[in-house]
Amino acid sequence: MSKTAISWQVVAQEGKARVGLLQTRRSLIETPVFMPVGTAGTVKGTRFEALESPELDARIILGNTYHLWLRPGADVIRACGGLHRFIGWERALLTDSGGFQVWSLGALRKLREEGVEFRSHVDGSARFLSPEVSMEVQAALGSEIAMAFDECAPGKATHEVARASMELTARWAARSRARFDELQREGADMGRTPEQHTSVNGEQALFGIVQGAAHADLRLESLARTVEIGFDGYAIGGLSVGEEKSVMYDTIELVAPQMPQGRPRYLMGVGTPEDLLAAVARGVDMFDCVLPTRDGRNGRAYTSLGPINIKNARHTTDTRPLDEDCACSVCRRHARAYLRHLYNAGEMLASILLTHHNLAFFLDTMRRVRQAIRSGNFARFQREFVERYNSGVG
Ligand SMILES: [Zn+2]
C-alpha cells in the first residue's frame, strides 16, 4: 500500500462508536480524541509541559489560521521554521481554515465568489482571505492536518441561503484541494518530516468540511460532493451556531454514519461533555472546543457531577476539591474555597488552575470513553455519565 499523509485504523467498535489509531507524521493519536484549542499559538492559561504531561497527555492541539495570519503573520512563522518550532511543540497540530472566524465577523465581512474581504481586528487593515490564501497560510504553519476553506451558514438559515452557502463551500473545497496539492509539490509545507513511520509519508493532510445547516438534503449533498473531491478525513462544520440542540444531534446522526468508514470524522467546535459522548455514539472521532479553556478563565469548572461556578457563594468555605472523582493535580492539592478566593481576587492563578482541571476532565473523559468502547461498555458508560452529570449535586 502506498504511504499517505495520515493513516487511520479502527481498532474497536461498539455500535457506531469506534476507537481508532490515527498516525500523523508527528503523533500517534487514539480516537475519539479531544483537541485543546490553541487559538493564537497558545492553549490559553496552560504551559506546553502540562499539555505533554501524563496527566493531560494531549497528543494534538489546534492552531488558528485567522488569528496567526493576522498576528504575528504567516511570514514571521515561516521565517521561524513553521508553527511547531515557533511555539515549541513537537506533537501534532491541526489548523482550521479561518472560514469560521471570518464568518463570525458577520456584517463586517464582504463575501464574494473569490473569497472574503474584511478588516483586521488587530490593526483595522483591509484583508482578503480565500481558499488559496488559507492553504498558503496553513502550509506556512505546517500543521499535520489542514482544513479546507469553507463558508458557514447560520444554524437557522433558510434552505435557499443554506444551499447557496453549501455550494460555495463545495467550490471552495475544490479550490482548497488544488492549491493544497500544488503547495505540497512545491515544498511549501513547513511541517514536513522525513518519513519516519512505516505508514505515513511526512506530508500534511487535508480534511474536507460538510456544511448545509439544518437541512438534511443539503447535508447529504455536501457530503457527497466533498467525498467526490477526496480528502484525508472529513469534518462536520456549521453546528453549534444557533440551531436547537436536537437539530445538532439529528444532523450528526444523519451525516456521521454516512461519512467514509475508513477516514477519521471530525465534529468542529463542539461541545459540552454530554455533546461529545452523544457524537461519539453517532460515530464521530475527533473534537475541539474552547469550552474547557474559555470557561475555566470565567470561573466555570466541569465536573463529573455537572458544571459548577466557582464564583458562587456556596463555595466560600467549601474544602472539597472541584471534583472528588478527578485525579488531576489541581483537585489533589486545592479546595474550592481557595480557587474561589483566587478568582475573586483577580489572581491569574485562578484561570490557570481552572483551565488545567477542565482540560484534565475533558481529556480524561475521552480516555474513559475509549476504554468503555474497547470493553464493550460504552452504552452503559454514556448512560451513567449523563445521569451523574445532570444530577445537580456538584
Ligand atoms: Zn481536577
Side-chain angles (χ1 to χ4, degrees), residues 55 302 321-323 326-332 356-358 360-361:
E55 192 169 314
Y302 288 85
L322 290 171
D323 187 343
C326 179
C328 89
S329 49
V330 177
C331 290
R332 287 203 309 274
H356 185 92
H357 161 78
N358 281 347
F361 182 76

Side-chain angles (χ1 to χ4, degrees), residues 207-285:
F207 281 20
I209 304 176
V210 176
Q211 289 286 355
H215 305 281
D217 60 326
L218 299 180
R219 284 282 176 182
L220 293 179
E221 185 179 335
S222 178
L223 174 60
R225 291 171 73 165
T226 311
V227 170
E228 198 186 325
I229 297 166
F231 292 93
D232 300 301
Y234 296 90
I236 305 176
L239 288 180
S240 210
V241 289
E243 78 283 6
E244 304 292 332
K245 194 152 257 200
S246 62
V247 170
M248 176 170 93
Y249 287 173
D250 288 349
T251 304
I252 300 167
E253 182 142 356
L254 172 79
V255 176
Q258 305 216 36
M259 296 167 98
Q261 285 292 332
R263 304 277 183 192
R265 303 165 179 161
Y266 167 27
L267 177 59
M268 302 183 78
V270 178
T272 65
E274 282 176 288
D275 293 340
L276 302 190
L277 267 59
V280 167
R282 289 160 174 79
V284 176
D285 310 300

